Amino acid sequence: MPAIKPYGDSTDDGLVQVSFTLPIGEPERARQSALKFAESMGLQRAQVQHMKAMGPDFTFFVVYGASIHTVDPDDIEIDERDFPELTSQEINRMIRETLKRQLVVVGACTGTDAHTVGLDAILSMKGYAGDKGLEYFGEMRVLNLGSQVTPEEVVTVVRDEQADAVLISQVVTQRDAHIVHLEQVRDALEAAGLRDRVVLIGGGPRFSAEQAAELGYDRIFGRATKPSDVASYLTWAVTERAKAHEPEAAPAS
Amino acid sequence: MRTERQFSRPIGRLQVDVDAIAECRALAADISAPVDELARSRTTVSLERACLRLVGVDGVEGEGTEAVPIPNRVVDEVRSAVGLECGVLIPFFHAVESGCGDIPSAARAVSSGECRPEWPEGLDLDLATERARKEAGIAVDLIASAATQRAEVIERVGDAPKPWLYLIVATGNIHEDIPQAVAAARNGCDIIAVIRSTGQSLLDYVPYGATTDGFAGTYATQENFRLMRAALDEVGEELGRYIRLTNYASGLCMPEIAAMAAMERLDMMLNDCMYGIIFRDINMQRTFVDQNFSRMVHSLAGIIINTGEDNYLTTANAVDSAHTVLASQFLNERLALSAGLRAEQMGLGHAFEIDPSVPDQIMLEIAHAQLVRECFPDAPLKYMPPTKHMTGNIFQGFLYDGMFNLVGALTGQDIILLGMLTEGIHTPFLSDRDLALENAGYVFGGATALAGELRFEAGGLVERRANQVLEETRQMLHKVADIGMFAAIEAGMFADTVRTPEGGKGLDGVIERAGGYVNPIEDELKTRVGVK
């Protein structure tokens, strides 16, 4: 495939529309500044189609121009995530069809950390940044144990409620306490013989996804994780696991 | 931009079943009676801290992230020394009267452990009670002065014409919020809401001082309130239009934030009787006790409450769950009346959240909005813009916001929270707010007076839909009344969310009142707002 350019109304015209605000009020200087800025963005023959003062110190612009840049789609490497992003309808349907019951999620902040802000953002109905929490999904039953929970309490609830998934959140840490707390839960689940029965997830601003293997977790979520990321992953992981454990209905071809 | 608008509330335009409305009100009264009883029989740590704040206890002990507010320290010390069953004020004023100094000094002495709280006896009890009553009178005068001061300022600078256009700022830094709020006011906004930092509702203390480090919002602190109030008063004078300030009296510190709002003359407060329970998993006893006290403060301070029914539609299908909004509004209205709020202080909330792919969806929105208008003719209704179906297609989103404004204009909604074309993408750009004001200026400038001329076809789709929602509301309230409010919440009847009376956050801060509970601030508040 050849390199391509934005398409306005004919091939390779390169036309793009941008809108932005500059922190300047004086009209003619503002307009010239916007054009110069557009040029720096790689826009040729830029035109300010609309400008509006917002108070004495700011001006808003709508600018059109022809981009000098091209892109070769064949050069793009697609970084596929290993689990699908699911809509709320898909999540509820997959759980209903595969598990034929509610998916049970246990969430807790273990150790000394009393900060449940991350856990609540993921679990509570309200969610975070416009993204609904796991409680929103009718096919999920969420048990939010809150903060300062012991690993033993997590194990008890997992066993009593036959949980499918466990979420451990850590916000504030000192001397790698967040790592230790996650390891404690993993060890407690292993000791109780429950580790393989649950999808185990850790999360918090100090973690990165690469830490999953060393911590013995199925998945680690770091900063800027949205509830829908967790919901999609959980649903995918739990239903995949359930399918793998199902007695085979018919031999595959 | 803005033109002279002839605002009127179109009432009697839709033939709705008035008997069903009356029945809903009667059911709401039955349902809320145990909630009122709960509020009479319990207190909370935050209610007691609010009382301390109102008599002038403030400040923090310690520094930086270790800082603990003095009101928290005093309540904790009193609780561990003598318990809170009889309230914090008598032990505290006993400390004041027995030589620990004036109110701030005594608070510091109790906080630092220098002065151990005691329950006084005999003459000491008389002295402490007398002092508490005197200071309570001053505190309640202070709350009432918010209303008189507001009236004076409005009289002097002029009021904003309705509908009031409402915008949110949320930079996390109060010093950044202020220029944004001032810019919005200059461009036509009437109400500024400073959204709070993520998670503040779950903090069991109120942060202190001017703050710059909020996340996705700015901490509600008394100093932040004061700074924003001063800036909006200044720009209001310049514009000849009083600019209202809004914050959030919700979460674990609801009563304290209500008290701070009264002391700093805020004008509107988000304050819902059930929001914290359902959407934040805050203990229901805590929420019900706290909302009652908060609402009495709001009543006397002349603050308009904003209820949170829009949340029911962001988490559920806006057509199927339309009746849950109306049912919650009847309950919010009843519990507001129980706390002495007048109809003109009830900013009952609802929202424009129907999926745009549903046939006739704009007509359904009109039916819902007009139904609410007919049910609550004297309430300054608060109408919330689309959020759920804002997809990132800013061009289509801008049109949705325009249609939302139009429905708001046609149905006489008083308070319009302006939609952002970039809703769901990021916290609004300066230009997003400006575009929203331009959109609203166009629609309200062009169609506000149409509300006074519209009639709905008898037996038409709008009328049929409105009556259907009303009937579903009546049935839902019947079901809630049959099992009681607490059992209904426990059964997941609100937003399909199960909450138990003993579950959720903050139960350890709920205390059963003893026969000898004394709270002269609450007594005086009740007298002034006419609550038994």
Side-chain angles (χ1 to χ4, degrees), chain A residues 52 60 120 125 132 135-136, chain B residues 202 314-315 434 495 497 499:
Chain A
K52 180 179 178 253
F60 176 65
D120 288 317
M125 175 78 97
K132 301 303 165 206
E135 285 188 340
Y136 168 63
Chain B
L202 302 180
T314 58
T315 51
D434 195 71
T497 305
R499 305 293 188 209

Side-chain angles (χ1 to χ4, degrees), chain A residues 38-60:
Chain A
E39 194 183 315
S40 312
M41 290 171 75
L43 299 183
Q44 292 177 321
R45 302 183 301 282
Q47 290 183 343
V48 171
Q49 292 298 352
H50 172 70
M51 62 184 276
K52 180 179 178 253
M54 295 182 295
D57 306 320
F58 295 93
T59 311
F60 176 65

Side-chain angles (χ1 to χ4, degrees), chain B residues 245-276:
Chain B
L245 176 57
T246 299
N247 210 286
Y248 296 70
S250 62
L252 289 170
C253 294
M254 190 193 287
E256 290 172 274
I257 293 178
M260 288 161 33
M263 290 190 277
E264 302 302 335
R265 192 179 18 97
L266 270 61
D267 306 287
M268 310 207 317
M269 297 298 280
L270 279 282
N271 186 244
D272 190 278
C273 64
M274 280 193 291
Y275 168 80

